[in-house]
Amino acid sequence: MAGIREETGQQLGARISFSGQVQNYQSAVQQLVSILGDEDTAAAHLSQCIFTVGMGSNDYLNNYFMPAFYNTGSQYTPEQYADDLIARYTQLLRVMYSNGARKVALIGVGQVGCSPNELAQQSANGVTCVERINSAIRIFNQKLVGLVDQFNTLPGAHFTYINIFGIFDDILSSPGSHGLKVTNQGCCGVGRNNGQVTCLPFQTPCANRHEYVFWDAFHPTEAANVLVGQRTYSARLPSDVHPVDLRTLARL
């Protein structure tokens, strides 16, 4: 529930924002330097590691599109908000790069407007994805591709973008060919689309979770995650990644 912005997700309680996570990474790097003996050895080791960073969805879900708790939705246009997120993201990724991160996979934001929670609240028929949300996310993802290209001009950098939005689009447009049947409801949840309240303790989930895209109001099932994971590792369509998949990244 953490985000790129410090305040994101605060209505849910304690969390470690991306800046806090980057600080923890810096501390871990210092420990690595002391274990390996010097900075050059640590740098050589870190240059072979793959870092996956997936931030941004909560900045929309638990911030921009939650006017009851946050005023960012009235402060920024979707374009301005995406610019703000990308500027903060760039700054923190630069800190990671300057602390040895060279192979970095940036996971784009998925189709938040198709989650059971948003369908329950804002979709007239409970099936049609909320375009207002998805179009804002498309703007962010597009800028994220530009960020990847920018980082790849730095010495030794191998950044790549994972197009979760596009992969989900493909799965949702032909779920049957992927072995899935239910695309608009959580396997476990309460209310419309099983998406108004997320899965509660001791609640009995659906019996056929392998046929559902969503586990609860927000999160994909294991079945959906396996499909996404396979295509992240080995791209099925050229649009799945930019510029390379994780299998290629590992070999660089």
Side-chain angles (χ1 to χ4, degrees), residues 183-211:
T183 61
N184 68 324
Q185 293 181 22
C187 168
C188 189
V190 178
R192 190 180 187 216
N193 294 72
N194 276 355
Q196 285 174 289
V197 178
T198 203
C199 193
L200 298 171
F202 309 114
Q203 190 182 351
T204 306
C206 66
N208 55 336
R209 65 187 73 180
H210 62 282
E211 295 180 342

Side-chain angles (χ1 to χ4, degrees), residues 3 22 36 50 58 76-77 104 107 120 125 151 165 170 188 203 213 219 223 243 249:
V22 170
L36 295 178
I50 290 180
N58 285 305
Y76 300 94
T77 65
V104 183
I107 300 162
N125 60 3
F151 269 92
F165 194 105
D170 194 39
C188 189
Q203 190 182 351
V213 172
H219 304 100
L249 190 63

Side-chain angles (χ1 to χ4, degrees), residues 15 33 35 37 46 85 87 121 124 138 143 153 155 167 175 192 199 203-204 210 212-213 216 222 237 244 248-250:
R15 69 261 173 263
V33 170
I35 291 165
L46 288 166
L85 293 180
Q121 292 183 63
R138 277 192 211 98
K143 292 178 189 293
T153 63
I167 294 170
R192 190 180 187 216
C199 193
Q203 190 182 351
T204 306
H210 62 282
Y212 278 67
V213 172
D216 60 14
E222 182 180 6
L237 298 173
V244 295
T248 309
L249 190 63

Side-chain angles (χ1 to χ4, degrees), residues 21-221:
Q21 293 176 42
V22 170
Q23 281 177 342
N24 288 344
Y25 168 64
Q26 288 176 278
S27 303
V29 169
Q30 290 312 310
Q31 285 178 280
L32 188 69
V33 170
S34 61
I35 291 165
L36 295 178
D38 63 79
E39 286 191 1
D40 288 349
T41 313
H45 180 78
L46 288 166
S47 72
Q48 291 307 303
C49 298
I50 290 180
F51 298 82
T52 59
V53 185
M55 302 301 293
S57 61
N58 285 305
D59 292 291
Y60 287 95
L61 199 60
N62 288 305
N63 192 327
Y64 192 69
F65 289 110
M66 197 172 268
F69 289 95
Y70 303 95
N71 60 5
T72 46
S74 55
Q75 275 184 315
Y76 300 94
T77 65
E79 185 84 22
Q80 289 167 338
Y81 191 64
D83 281 334
D84 177 79
L85 293 180
I86 292 292
R88 294 166 189 258
Y89 210 3
T90 302
Q91 208 173 354
L92 291 164
L93 289 168
R94 276 192 182 277
V95 175
M96 287 184 65
Y97 174 82
S98 66
N99 281 267
R102 291 294 178 269
K103 297 181 179 187
V104 183
L106 297 178
I107 300 162
V109 177
Q111 300 205 16
V112 175
C114 302
S115 67
N117 181 262
E118 298 303 337
L119 292 177
Q121 292 183 63
Q122 301 192 54
S123 174
N125 60 3
V127 177
T128 308
C129 298
V130 185
E131 181 55 28
R132 186 172 66 94
I133 295 175
N134 282 350
S135 66
I137 285 164
R138 277 192 211 98
I139 295 168
F140 173 80
N141 284 338
Q142 205 173 355
K143 292 178 189 293
L144 200 51
V145 173
L147 185 155
V148 163
D149 290 340
Q150 185 188 327
F151 269 92
N152 282 337
T153 63
L154 298 174
H158 297 289
F159 278 60
T160 196
Y161 164 73
I162 308 297
N163 183 13
I164 296 292
F165 194 105
I167 294 170
F168 255 89
D169 209 22
D170 194 39
I171 292 168
L172 292 172
S173 62
S174 58
S177 66
H178 297 90
L180 299 165
K181 289 182 180 172
V182 186
T183 61
N184 68 324
Q185 293 181 22
C187 168
C188 189
V190 178
R192 190 180 187 216
N193 294 72
N194 276 355
Q196 285 174 289
V197 178
T198 203
C199 193
L200 298 171
F202 309 114
Q203 190 182 351
T204 306
C206 66
N208 55 336
R209 65 187 73 180
H210 62 282
E211 295 180 342
Y212 278 67
V213 172
F214 288 97
W215 164 250
D216 60 14
F218 306 103
H219 304 100
T221 54

